Amino acid sequence: MSADLSQLVKAYDVRGVVPDQWDEPLAELFGAAFVQVTGADAIVIGHDMRPSSPGLSRAFARGAAARGVDVTEIGLCSTDQLYYASGALDLPGAMFTASHNPAQYNGIKMCRAGAAPVGQDTGLTDIRELVESWLDSGTPEPEPVTPGTITQRDTLEDYAAYLRSLVDLTSIRPLKVVVDAGNGMGGHTVPTVFAGLPLTLVPMYFELDGTFPNHEANPLDPANLVDLQKRAREENADLGIAFDGDADRCFVVDEHGDPVSPSAITALVASRELARNGGSGTVIHNLITSWSVPEVVREQGGTPVRTRVGHSFIKAEMARTGAIFGGEHSAHYYFKDFWNADTGMLAALHVLAALGGQDGPLSALVAQYDRYTGSGEINSTVADQTGRLAAIRTAYEGQEGIEIDELDGLTVTAADWWFNVRPSNTEPLLRLNTEARDKPTMTRIRDEVLTLIRS
């Protein structure tokens, strides 16, 4: 039976249960395949705090070094710190993390030099097929080469200094900020990045612990924001920030502990980046961010570009259009000045700079960027994704004032509302997002569509 790694190698990364789906010998093969596909003669590797990460990372390094490639290990880091190293050192990189997944999972996020993504259509399929062929027929002996070196380098201070060079925080007013690192890599990066700023930092769950003893490191799930919301209110903080496990996404709550939508953060940061670029530039947003995002971009003199959901599409559009910034509903934020890569930490610094640069509370600041009522993402298990999508289209097409497009799933737009239904690539789910100019309308459309999905 031929090796099949399709359940391990996803659209954007490698991710699975250790040791059931993969282990250190397999990681070593991925290291060899990565350098063969990328043609690299040197690479940089980092890892998160999961118990399996150091061993998997070192095995990958051995596989690469055996083929004559020099390896720089930066050790414990956030995913955006690995992207920084890839960009600053101009080297392909590999980050060992499973982001917000439970402790038994691990994975690899790979990039080419300059943090350019390695995804399904940009090398990841080739890497998978190469590893599968080696599992079937045995790994060929590499051409006689001098093994590469494996050396260590600490990039945390340089990473922090680079981020701080992109946002002026020198004159902000003193702020009290609660940060929930979820026992993930934010506990490693935040103290260094925030050092010396006029901030009173209230840390939560900064101890690096890949077993996640307090809550899942997935702030997209409202249940995992509860501790932060409570602490922000108790501390009378100006805001709260939560990072996911590998600290490449950030979520914000205001002084009342109320969540600030990632769309509002996208609009706020977009307005700042446009101002920094003379009031012009392209901003990327995926099709389920709020109407507020393209509206704010146009008001600030920029050009909004709508794209599919997913970082590979965002990064491709960033490169194609020369965009200065991009944002997603999932709290991924992409910056031209960060090699088009996503960094939650840089977005967090923008929020701190915007809040600290004026006297009002965060709730008032973000109100101008949060103009509509959204449902959030609602998942429904369905037996026939294609059939349900066709039924929804039939229900709405032909109605006066209705526009339908299929850029990503099915998007239906009217004057006062829109909704998008997308199928999951990996589960029998349909994902609904809807938004309207007022709550009663949003509730009506949401319930109409859910009835069609679940009937």
Side-chain angles (χ1 to χ4, degrees), residues 78-136:
S78 61
T79 290
D80 66 324
Q81 188 183 335
L82 184 279
Y83 291 152
Y84 164 77
S86 172
L89 302 176
D90 197 30
L91 294 176
M95 173 67 187
F96 283 77
T97 182
S99 185
H100 60 275
N101 287 136
Q104 67 268 30
Y105 284 81
N106 216 321
I108 322 171
K109 295 181 178 181
M110 291 174 266
C111 61
R112 296 179 187 269
V118 171
Q120 199 166 47
D121 300 323
T122 50
L124 192 53
T125 298
D126 298 329
I127 292 169
R128 187 194 92 191
E129 291 175 350
L130 191 55
V131 174
E132 286 173 342
S133 72
W134 289 342
L135 290 171
D136 285 336

Side-chain angles (χ1 to χ4, degrees), residues 30-289:
F30 274 109
F34 177 65
V35 299
Q36 183 163 322
V37 169
T38 60
D41 54 18
I43 63 171
V44 59
I45 303 175
H47 64 80
D48 71 8
M49 66 292 137
R50 292 167 184 271
S52 61
S53 289
L56 292 170
S57 174
R58 176 48 65 98
F60 188 97
R62 287 196 302 269
R67 278 155 175 76
V69 170
D70 292 331
V71 178
T72 298
E73 293 181 320
I74 65 171
L76 281 167
C77 66
S78 61
T79 290
D80 66 324
Q81 188 183 335
L82 184 279
Y83 291 152
Y84 164 77
S86 172
L89 302 176
D90 197 30
L91 294 176
M95 173 67 187
F96 283 77
T97 182
S99 185
H100 60 275
N101 287 136
Q104 67 268 30
Y105 284 81
N106 216 321
I108 322 171
K109 295 181 178 181
M110 291 174 266
C111 61
R112 296 179 187 269
V118 171
Q120 199 166 47
D121 300 323
T122 50
L124 192 53
T125 298
D126 298 329
I127 292 169
R128 187 194 92 191
E129 291 175 350
L130 191 55
V131 174
E132 286 173 342
S133 72
W134 289 342
L135 290 171
D136 285 336
S137 57
T139 309
E141 287 296 320
E143 295 293 323
V145 293
T146 302
T149 60
I150 300 177
T151 56
Q152 287 72 46
R153 177 169 180 159
D154 186 352
T155 62
L156 181 58
E157 293 283 353
D158 292 341
Y159 155 81
Y162 182 73
L163 291 179
R164 295 270 290 273
S165 76
L166 299 177
V167 183
D168 184 6
L169 292 148
T170 55
S171 58
I172 66 169
R173 63 184 168 93
L175 297 171
K176 188 174 190 178
V177 55
V178 181
V179 176
D180 182 346
N183 298 109
M185 293 312 303
H188 178 70
T189 57
V190 167
T192 300
V193 176
F194 284 14
L197 296 176
L199 303 172
T200 299
L201 174 62
V202 181
M204 294 181 66
Y205 312 141
F206 270 39
E207 305 77 21
L208 301 182
D209 188 340
T211 68
F212 307 112
N214 294 290
H215 60 70
E216 288 184 353
N218 179 19
L220 192 59
D221 182 345
N224 298 320
L225 285 179
V226 170
D227 290 357
L228 175 65
Q229 293 172 288
K230 180 173 181 285
R231 190 69 178 274
R233 289 189 291 265
E234 290 173 349
E235 295 282 348
N236 291 315
D238 293 290
L239 75 162
I241 299 173
F243 292 95
D244 66 344
D246 59 336
D248 62 349
R249 292 185 294 154
C250 84
F251 293 74
V252 178
V253 302
D254 67 17
E255 74 280 6
H256 305 299
D258 294 330
V260 179
S261 104
S263 287
I265 300 298
T266 296
L268 183 154
V269 177
S271 67
R272 290 178 50 82
E273 285 291 271
L274 285 165
R276 205 163 69 90
N277 284 271
S280 65
T282 297
V283 173
I284 308 298
H285 65 99
N286 73 30
L287 80 176
I288 54 176
T289 52

